[in-house]
Amino acid sequence: MALLDKEHLRANLDEVIWNIEEARISVSEHHIVQLVAVGKYTQIENIATLYELGQRAFGENQIQQLKERMHILEALPLQWHMIGTLQKNKINNLIDLRPTLMQSLDSIALAQELNKKLEAKNATMNCLLQINAAKEESKSGVLSEEALDIYQEIKENCQNITLKGVMTIGAHSEDTKLIQESFEATHKIYEKLEKEGATICSMGMSGDYQLAIKCGSNLVRVGSALFK
Ligand SMILES: *Cc1c(COP(=O)(O)O)cnc(C)c1O
């Protein structure tokens, strides 16, 4: 971890934005992609500098770090996304932080627990259903085959959760085809959910965001490419 100067961060951000632009135009000029900058590997000072350069949406994968950073930067008009596995005992902490979007709702059990605690606090939360499209043991998320049913069940039974779409982490592989398949599987599910009002298909990280966009992603979560 190092403090990065503004010009250095500007060059990184320009490169990422340019790559996003190239990929999204190849899909359609009407295909808009949101960039969420993932700050988990970097210091808060670099997040503040990226804000000065125009970036507004930031993601963290740990509640404690999210809380600290939201607090320190509370004067800035930032959007904060939770992108990591949420332990049940941290649910109330997350609710109190009122994130813009909780991207990592990864099981029906978590949804039920989250909904119960949202109800108790008379709050709601925007969430994405995380899909383990590559069926990797090390990853959380629901299986592709079950995703539509689970999405439906959460919509019907968890009134305080507002589902906005899906999130996936691309297959952990050197094989581009495997990564592409995991994105395509997730996008297929997203297309079906669009008819029910889903608007966000969150796919793509530093190593694969261009590929993800070409497979239909409209939100990319980029960390190391911005803060390298
Ligand atoms: C860390 C992380 C990212 C960003 O990863 P990079 O490869 O550094 O871009 C995106 N999504 C999730 C869920 C993450 O945990």
Coordinates of all heavy atoms in Angstrom, one line a residue, residues 171-221:
A171 N -15.2 -16.5 -13.1 CA -14.4 -17.7 -12.8 C -12.9 -17.4 -12.5 O -12.3 -16.6 -13.2 CB -14.5 -18.7 -13.9
H172 N -12.4 -18.0 -11.5 CA -11.0 -17.8 -11.1 C -10.2 -18.7 -12.0 O -9.9 -19.9 -11.7 CB -10.8 -18.2 -9.6 CG -9.4 -17.9 -9.2 ND1 -8.9 -16.7 -9.0 CD2 -8.4 -18.8 -8.9 CE1 -7.6 -16.8 -8.6 NE2 -7.3 -18.1 -8.5
S173 N -9.7 -18.2 -13.2 CA -9.1 -19.1 -14.2 C -8.3 -18.3 -15.1 O -8.5 -17.1 -15.3 CB -10.2 -19.8 -14.9 OG -9.7 -20.5 -16.0
E174 N -7.3 -18.9 -15.7 CA -6.5 -18.3 -16.8 C -7.3 -18.4 -18.1 O -6.9 -17.8 -19.1 CB -5.1 -18.9 -16.9 CG -4.3 -18.8 -15.7 CD -3.8 -17.4 -15.5 OE1 -3.2 -16.8 -16.4 OE2 -4.0 -16.9 -14.4
D175 N -8.2 -19.3 -18.1 CA -8.9 -19.6 -19.3 C -10.1 -18.6 -19.6 O -11.1 -18.7 -18.9 CB -9.5 -21.1 -19.2 CG -10.2 -21.6 -20.5 OD1 -10.4 -20.7 -21.4 OD2 -10.5 -22.8 -20.5
T176 N -9.9 -17.8 -20.5 CA -10.8 -16.7 -20.8 C -12.2 -17.3 -21.1 O -13.2 -16.7 -20.8 CB -10.4 -15.9 -22.0 OG1 -9.0 -15.5 -21.8 CG2 -11.2 -14.6 -22.3
K177 N -12.2 -18.4 -21.8 CA -13.5 -19.0 -22.1 C -14.4 -19.4 -20.9 O -15.6 -19.2 -20.9 CB -13.3 -20.3 -23.0 CG -14.1 -20.2 -24.3 CD -13.8 -21.4 -25.2 CE -15.1 -22.3 -25.2 NZ -14.8 -23.6 -25.7
L178 N -13.7 -19.9 -19.9 CA -14.4 -20.2 -18.6 C -14.9 -19.0 -18.0 O -16.1 -19.0 -17.5 CB -13.4 -20.9 -17.7 CG -13.3 -22.4 -17.8 CD1 -12.3 -22.9 -16.7 CD2 -14.6 -23.1 -17.7
I179 N -14.1 -17.9 -18.0 CA -14.6 -16.7 -17.3 C -15.8 -16.1 -18.1 O -16.8 -15.8 -17.5 CB -13.4 -15.6 -17.3 CG1 -12.2 -16.2 -16.6 CG2 -13.9 -14.3 -16.7 CD1 -11.0 -15.3 -16.8
Q180 N -15.7 -16.2 -19.4 CA -16.8 -15.7 -20.3 C -18.0 -16.5 -20.0 O -19.1 -15.9 -19.9 CB -16.4 -15.8 -21.7 CG -17.4 -15.2 -22.7 CD -16.9 -15.1 -24.1 OE1 -15.7 -15.1 -24.4 NE2 -17.8 -15.2 -25.1
E181 N -17.9 -17.8 -19.9 CA -19.1 -18.6 -19.6 C -19.8 -18.2 -18.3 O -21.0 -18.2 -18.2 CB -18.7 -20.1 -19.6 CG -18.6 -20.7 -21.0 CD -17.9 -22.1 -21.0 OE1 -17.8 -22.7 -19.9 OE2 -17.5 -22.5 -22.1
S182 N -19.0 -17.9 -17.3 CA -19.6 -17.6 -16.0 C -20.3 -16.2 -16.1 O -21.4 -16.0 -15.5 CB -18.6 -17.5 -14.9 OG -17.6 -16.6 -15.1
F183 N -19.8 -15.3 -16.9 CA -20.5 -14.0 -17.2 C -21.7 -14.2 -18.0 O -22.8 -13.6 -17.7 CB -19.5 -13.0 -17.9 CG -18.4 -12.5 -17.0 CD1 -17.2 -12.1 -17.6 CD2 -18.6 -12.4 -15.6 CE1 -16.2 -11.6 -16.8 CE2 -17.6 -11.9 -14.8 CZ -16.3 -11.5 -15.4
E184 N -21.6 -15.1 -19.0 CA -22.8 -15.3 -19.9 C -23.9 -15.9 -19.1 O -25.1 -15.6 -19.3 CB -22.4 -16.1 -21.1 CG -21.6 -15.3 -22.1 CD -21.0 -16.1 -23.2 OE1 -21.0 -17.4 -23.1 OE2 -20.5 -15.5 -24.2
A185 N -23.6 -16.9 -18.2 CA -24.6 -17.6 -17.4 C -25.3 -16.6 -16.5 O -26.6 -16.6 -16.4 CB -24.0 -18.7 -16.6
T186 N -24.5 -15.7 -15.9 CA -25.1 -14.7 -15.0 C -26.0 -13.7 -15.8 O -27.1 -13.3 -15.4 CB -24.0 -13.9 -14.3 OG1 -23.3 -14.9 -13.6 CG2 -24.6 -12.9 -13.3
H187 N -25.5 -13.3 -17.0 CA -26.3 -12.3 -17.8 C -27.6 -12.9 -18.3 O -28.6 -12.2 -18.4 CB -25.4 -11.8 -19.0 CG -26.1 -10.7 -19.7 ND1 -26.7 -10.8 -20.9 CD2 -26.3 -9.4 -19.3 CE1 -27.3 -9.7 -21.3 NE2 -27.1 -8.8 -20.3
K188 N -27.6 -14.2 -18.6 CA -28.8 -14.8 -19.0 C -29.9 -14.7 -17.9 O -31.1 -14.5 -18.2 CB -28.5 -16.3 -19.3 CG -29.2 -16.8 -20.6 CD -28.8 -18.2 -20.9 CE -28.1 -18.4 -22.2 NZ -27.5 -19.7 -22.3
I189 N -29.4 -15.0 -16.7 CA -30.4 -14.9 -15.5 C -30.8 -13.4 -15.4 O -32.0 -13.1 -15.2 CB -29.6 -15.3 -14.2 CG1 -29.3 -16.8 -14.3 CG2 -30.5 -15.0 -13.0 CD1 -28.3 -17.3 -13.3
Y190 N -29.9 -12.5 -15.6 CA -30.3 -11.1 -15.5 C -31.3 -10.7 -16.5 O -32.3 -10.0 -16.2 CB -29.0 -10.2 -15.6 CG -29.3 -8.7 -15.7 CD1 -29.8 -8.0 -14.7 CD2 -29.1 -8.0 -17.0 CE1 -30.1 -6.7 -14.8 CE2 -29.4 -6.7 -17.1 CZ -29.9 -6.0 -16.0 OH -30.2 -4.7 -16.1
E191 N -31.1 -11.2 -17.7 CA -32.1 -10.8 -18.8 C -33.5 -11.2 -18.4 O -34.5 -10.5 -18.7 CB -31.7 -11.5 -20.1 CG -30.6 -10.8 -20.8 CD -30.3 -11.4 -22.2 OE1 -30.1 -12.7 -22.2 OE2 -30.3 -10.7 -23.2
K192 N -33.6 -12.4 -17.8 CA -35.0 -12.8 -17.3 C -35.5 -12.0 -16.2 O -36.7 -11.7 -16.2 CB -34.9 -14.3 -16.9 CG -34.5 -15.2 -18.0 CD -34.8 -16.7 -17.6 CE -34.5 -17.6 -18.9 NZ -33.5 -18.6 -18.6
L193 N -34.6 -11.5 -15.4 CA -35.1 -10.7 -14.2 C -35.4 -9.2 -14.6 O -36.1 -8.5 -13.9 CB -34.0 -10.7 -13.1 CG -33.8 -12.1 -12.5 CD1 -32.5 -12.0 -11.6 CD2 -35.0 -12.5 -11.7
E194 N -34.8 -8.8 -15.8 CA -35.1 -7.5 -16.3 C -36.6 -7.3 -16.5 O -37.1 -6.2 -16.2 CB -34.4 -7.3 -17.6 CG -33.0 -6.6 -17.5 CD -32.5 -6.3 -18.9 OE1 -32.4 -7.2 -19.7 OE2 -32.1 -5.1 -19.1
K195 N -37.2 -8.3 -16.9 CA -38.7 -8.2 -17.1 C -39.4 -8.0 -15.8 O -40.5 -7.5 -15.8 CB -39.2 -9.5 -17.7 CG -38.6 -9.8 -19.0 CD -39.2 -11.0 -19.7 CE -38.5 -11.4 -21.0 NZ -37.3 -12.3 -20.8
E196 N -38.8 -8.3 -14.7 CA -39.4 -8.0 -13.4 C -38.8 -6.7 -12.7 O -38.9 -6.5 -11.5 CB -39.1 -9.2 -12.4 CG -39.1 -10.5 -13.1 CD -39.8 -11.5 -12.2 OE1 -40.2 -11.1 -11.1 OE2 -40.0 -12.6 -12.7
G197 N -38.1 -6.0 -13.5 CA -37.6 -4.7 -13.0 C -36.2 -4.6 -12.5 O -35.7 -3.6 -12.1
A198 N -35.4 -5.7 -12.7 CA -34.0 -5.7 -12.4 C -33.3 -4.7 -13.3 O -33.5 -4.7 -14.5 CB -33.4 -7.1 -12.4
T199 N -32.3 -3.9 -12.7 CA -31.6 -2.9 -13.5 C -30.1 -3.1 -13.4 O -29.4 -2.4 -14.2 CB -32.0 -1.5 -13.1 OG1 -31.8 -1.4 -11.7 CG2 -33.5 -1.2 -13.4
I200 N -29.6 -3.9 -12.5 CA -28.2 -4.0 -12.3 C -27.6 -5.4 -12.5 O -28.1 -6.3 -11.9 CB -27.8 -3.4 -10.9 CG1 -28.2 -2.0 -10.7 CG2 -26.2 -3.5 -10.7 CD1 -28.0 -1.5 -9.3
C201 N -26.6 -5.5 -13.4 CA -25.9 -6.7 -13.6 C -24.4 -6.4 -13.3 O -23.7 -5.9 -14.2 CB -26.1 -7.2 -15.1 SG -25.2 -8.7 -15.5
S202 N -24.0 -6.7 -12.1 CA -22.7 -6.4 -11.6 C -21.7 -7.5 -11.9 O -21.7 -8.5 -11.2 CB -22.7 -6.1 -10.1 OG -21.5 -5.9 -9.5
M203 N -20.8 -7.3 -12.9 CA -19.8 -8.3 -13.2 C -18.6 -7.6 -13.7 O -18.7 -6.6 -14.4 CB -20.3 -9.2 -14.4 CG -21.7 -9.7 -14.4 SD -22.0 -11.0 -15.6 CE -22.0 -10.1 -17.1
G204 N -17.4 -8.1 -13.3 CA -16.2 -7.6 -13.8 C -15.3 -6.9 -12.8 O -15.8 -6.1 -12.0
M205 N -14.0 -7.3 -12.7 CA -13.1 -6.8 -11.8 C -11.8 -6.4 -12.6 O -11.9 -6.4 -13.8 CB -12.7 -7.8 -10.7 CG -13.9 -8.5 -10.2 SD -13.8 -9.5 -8.7 CE -12.2 -9.8 -8.3
S206 N -10.7 -6.0 -12.0 CA -9.6 -5.5 -12.7 C -9.1 -6.3 -13.9 O -8.8 -5.9 -15.0 CB -8.4 -5.2 -11.8 OG -8.7 -4.1 -10.9
G207 N -9.2 -7.7 -13.7 CA -8.6 -8.6 -14.7 C -9.6 -8.9 -15.8 O -9.2 -9.4 -16.9
D208 N -10.9 -8.6 -15.6 CA -11.8 -9.1 -16.6 C -13.0 -8.1 -16.9 O -14.0 -8.6 -17.4 CB -12.4 -10.5 -16.2 CG -12.9 -10.5 -14.8 OD1 -13.4 -9.4 -14.3 OD2 -13.0 -11.5 -14.1
Y209 N -12.9 -6.8 -16.5 CA -14.1 -6.0 -16.7 C -14.5 -5.7 -18.1 O -15.7 -5.5 -18.4 CB -13.9 -4.7 -15.9 CG -12.8 -3.7 -16.3 CD1 -13.0 -2.7 -17.1 CD2 -11.5 -3.9 -15.7 CE1 -12.0 -1.8 -17.5 CE2 -10.5 -3.1 -16.1 CZ -10.7 -2.0 -16.9 OH -9.7 -1.2 -17.3
Q210 N -13.5 -5.7 -19.0 CA -13.9 -5.4 -20.4 C -14.7 -6.6 -21.0 O -15.7 -6.5 -21.6 CB -12.6 -5.2 -21.3 CG -12.1 -3.8 -21.1 CD -10.8 -3.6 -21.9 OE1 -9.8 -4.1 -21.6 NE2 -11.0 -2.8 -23.0
L211 N -14.2 -7.8 -20.6 CA -14.9 -9.0 -21.1 C -16.3 -9.0 -20.4 O -17.3 -9.4 -21.1 CB -14.1 -10.3 -20.6 CG -14.8 -11.6 -20.9 CD1 -15.0 -11.9 -22.3 CD2 -13.9 -12.8 -20.3
A212 N -16.4 -8.7 -19.2 CA -17.7 -8.7 -18.5 C -18.7 -7.7 -19.2 O -19.8 -8.1 -19.4 CB -17.5 -8.3 -17.0
I213 N -18.2 -6.6 -19.5 CA -19.1 -5.6 -20.2 C -19.5 -6.1 -21.5 O -20.7 -6.0 -21.9 CB -18.3 -4.2 -20.4 CG1 -18.1 -3.6 -19.0 CG2 -19.1 -3.3 -21.3 CD1 -17.1 -2.4 -19.1
K214 N -18.6 -6.8 -22.3 CA -19.0 -7.4 -23.5 C -20.1 -8.5 -23.4 O -20.8 -8.8 -24.3 CB -17.8 -7.9 -24.3 CG -17.0 -6.7 -24.9 CD -15.7 -7.2 -25.5 CE -14.9 -5.9 -25.9 NZ -13.5 -6.2 -26.2
C215 N -20.1 -9.1 -22.2 CA -21.1 -10.1 -21.8 C -22.4 -9.4 -21.2 O -23.3 -10.1 -20.8 CB -20.6 -11.1 -20.9 SG -19.2 -12.1 -21.6
G216 N -22.4 -8.1 -21.2 CA -23.6 -7.4 -20.7 C -23.6 -6.8 -19.4 O -24.6 -6.2 -18.9
S217 N -22.5 -6.8 -18.7 CA -22.4 -6.1 -17.4 C -22.7 -4.6 -17.5 O -22.2 -4.0 -18.5 CB -21.0 -6.3 -16.8 OG -20.7 -5.4 -15.7
N218 N -23.4 -4.1 -16.5 CA -23.6 -2.6 -16.5 C -23.1 -2.0 -15.2 O -23.3 -0.8 -14.9 CB -25.0 -2.2 -16.8 CG -26.0 -2.7 -15.8 OD1 -25.6 -3.2 -14.7 ND2 -27.3 -2.7 -16.1
L219 N -22.3 -2.8 -14.4 CA -21.6 -2.2 -13.3 C -20.4 -3.0 -13.1 O -20.4 -4.3 -13.0 CB -22.5 -2.3 -12.0 CG -22.0 -1.7 -10.7 CD1 -23.1 -1.3 -9.8 CD2 -21.0 -2.6 -10.0
V220 N -19.2 -2.4 -13.0 CA -17.9 -3.1 -12.8 C -17.4 -2.6 -11.5 O -17.5 -1.5 -11.1 CB -16.9 -2.9 -14.0 CG1 -17.5 -3.5 -15.3 CG2 -16.7 -1.4 -14.2
R221 N -16.7 -3.6 -10.8 CA -16.1 -3.3 -9.5 C -14.6 -3.4 -9.7 O -14.0 -4.5 -9.7 CB -16.6 -4.3 -8.5 CG -18.1 -4.5 -8.5 CD -18.5 -5.7 -7.6 NE -17.8 -6.9 -7.9 CZ -18.2 -7.9 -8.7 NH1 -19.3 -7.8 -9.3 NH2 -17.4 -8.9 -8.9

